[in-house]
């Protein structure tokens, strides 16, 4: 699975990654560090509580790398600078962009994929 592949490709498992008790395919919340763009856990969408942390050199590098993905459903930025937030939202290729929050929806607002 993704946990084994992340470790095999050189990512550092910072926490989690173990199966939880009970039936089903559930794992603990998991964080990987030392992840690079070429690793499977960075390139593929993992449907589970897994976070891959990647370092970037500057703001433009973060946007460039975010846009170098075959996905693009959602993105988020946490910042005190509203101008940076607008620049990010304009430049990143994502269907939804959250600012200073993530995965937050208003149920009265329309949404489709």
């Amino acid at each position: 699975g993704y946990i084994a592949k992340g470790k095999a490709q050189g990512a550092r498992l910072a926490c989690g990654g173990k199966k939880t008790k009970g039936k089903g395919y559930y794992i603990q919340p998991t964080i990987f560090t030392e992840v690079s763009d070429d690793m499977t856990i960075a390139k593929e969408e993992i449907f589970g509580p897994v976070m891959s942390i990647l370092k970037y050199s500057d703001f433009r590098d973060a946007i460039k790398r975010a846009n170098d993905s075959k996905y693009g459903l959602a993105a988020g930025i946490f910042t005190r600078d509203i101008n940076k937030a607008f620049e990010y939202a304009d430049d990143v290729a994502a269907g939804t962009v959250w600012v200073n929050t993530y995965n937050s929806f208003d149920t009265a607002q329309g949404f489709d994929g």
Side-chain angles (χ1 to χ4, degrees), residues 55-71:
K55 293 181 180 181
Y56 56 91
S57 60
D58 59 31
F59 185 71
R60 297 307 317 166
D61 179 48
I63 291 172
K64 177 181 170 277
R65 290 169 61 196
N67 288 336
D68 188 26
S69 170
K70 64 181 177 180
Y71 303 105

Side-chain angles (χ1 to χ4, degrees), residues 3 8-9 15 18 21 26 30 40-41 43 49 51-56 59 68 70 84 89 95 99-100 102 109 111:
I3 305 301
Q9 291 179 339
C15 68
K18 293 188 171 77
K21 295 180 182 175
Y26 299 101
T30 303
T40 301
I41 61 172
K43 293 190 300 187
M51 178 181 283
S52 296
I53 299 175
L54 293 85
K55 293 181 180 181
Y56 56 91
F59 185 71
D68 188 26
K70 64 181 177 180
K84 283 282 186 204
V99 176
N100 294 339
Y102 200 81
Q109 181 179 356
F111 177 83

